Amino acid sequence: MSEPQTAALVVEHIVKEYRVHRTAFRAVDDVSFRIARGTTFGLVGESGSGKSTIARCVLRLIAPDAGRSLIAGTDPALVRGSALRRLRAETGIVFQNPKAALNPRMRIRDIVAEPLVTHTRLSAADVRRRVSALLDEVGLASSHGERLPHQLSGGQAQRAGVARAIATAPQLVVLDEPTSALDVSVQAQVLNLLQRLKRERGLSYLLISHDLDVVRYMSDEAGVMRRGQLVETGPADVVLTAPSHEYTRQLLAAMPAVPGVRMPQPDGDERSILL
Ligand SMILES: Nc1ncnc2c1ncn2[C@@H]1O[C@H](COP(=O)(O)OP(=O)(O)OP(=O)(O)O)[C@@H](O)[C@H]1O
Ligand SMILES: [Mg+2]
């Protein structure tokens, strides 16, 4: 499981600088971590600490200036053509704001189908069948597939975003603040949906969230980012309850857990408020 070649994701010494008015700003500074298959790595840290930049490097939406990442053992920088397409099919991403992330002029069905059309050679009929199964798997009715994004609730739109992210049956899914734009009652449903999919599909997640409760609930391992650097990593319950690094302690103190009902029960009913 923890062999380098079987890890869902290996990140090694990634550096990313942004150039703004001719000065370079190091947004990610020598970050390394790994995600074992079937596990969730939660990344926390203050706004601007480089979390989304790491995600963009991992997904190869941008190229790092140094270092490398391996998705299921393969460095996306070293493959081209059909091998790169296959590798892209091995990853998915769920964004923070589902309505903004989904093309407002496309039907949900076509939004979910798009990665299948781009990264696979499935026939149109197979794509249709796969999309129907995906909608069902995330708890949407087939009639939701005919709608435009603005005709769904926030929670439904995020379910569609999840369906799109898992459409090509990826091994690794990046969740960048997947529930922070949702109402609290809906957050729990989407988190439980993600947990079920992880279990059933053996998914690995890179979860980015400023909500420490969410990260604690979802993650096996956690890492704390500060100004581009990963200052602490370890088992999520240790890092987020008994951190060894002073910065993590400050972060925990600044974001006290909200007592009460925010976190769903494991295996709780994720479909209860569906419509
Ligand atoms: N395209 C860009 N050009 C220049 N600077 C950028 C660009 N994208 C991000 N940055 C800067 O890089 C730093 C890291 O940004 P990033 O989006 O990775 O942070 P983050 O940890 O995801 O923050 P948040 O929690 O607010 O989403 C920030 O200071 C940001 O302003
Ligand atoms: Mg971000």
Side-chain angles (χ1 to χ4, degrees), residues 94-229:
V94 175
F95 294 99
Q96 171 168 1
N97 189 333
K99 297 215 177 168
L102 307 179
N103 186 329
R105 285 179 292 276
M106 279 170 72
R107 290 182 312 159
I108 295 300
R109 181 170 282 287
D110 299 323
I111 289 171
V112 175
E114 196 176 50
L116 291 170
V117 173
T118 310
H119 301 310
T120 74
R121 300 188 184 283
L122 289 177
S123 70
D126 283 342
V127 168
R128 263 197 308 280
R129 267 193 290 278
R130 185 84 78 91
V131 168
S132 295
L134 284 161
L135 291 176
D136 184 59
E137 190 173 355
V138 300
L140 291 174
S142 59
S143 61
H144 292 123
E146 309 310 319
R147 300 191 195 174
L148 297 170
H150 79 270
Q151 295 170 322
L152 296 182
S153 70
Q156 289 167 342
Q158 195 58 306
R159 286 169 192 273
V162 171
R164 179 187 158 94
I166 61 169
T168 57
Q171 170 66 222
L172 174 73
V173 178
V174 174
L175 309 167
D176 194 348
E177 302 278 4
T179 56
S180 36
L182 303 177
D183 289 349
V184 168
S185 63
V186 181
Q187 285 183 9
Q189 295 173 28
V190 171
L191 292 177
N192 276 334
L193 167 66
L194 291 168
Q195 292 290 67
R196 173 169 60 79
L197 293 173
K198 175 189 175 189
R199 213 166 45 236
E200 292 176 353
R201 288 174 166 257
L203 294 175
S204 316
Y205 289 142
L206 172 57
L207 168 68
I208 295 169
S209 178
H210 66 268
D211 188 327
L212 299 180
D213 286 337
V214 168
V215 173
R216 210 180 280 122
Y217 174 68
M218 297 283 288
S219 308
D220 302 286
E221 304 269 313
V224 181
M225 291 287 296
R226 184 195 193 192
R227 295 185 197 156
Q229 296 183 329

Side-chain angles (χ1 to χ4, degrees), residues 54-74:
I54 289 174
R56 287 197 286 270
C57 289
V58 162
L59 294 171
R60 215 62 198 179
L61 301 174
I62 55 176
D65 296 305
R68 64 172 192 164
S69 59
L70 305 176
I71 294 162
T74 303

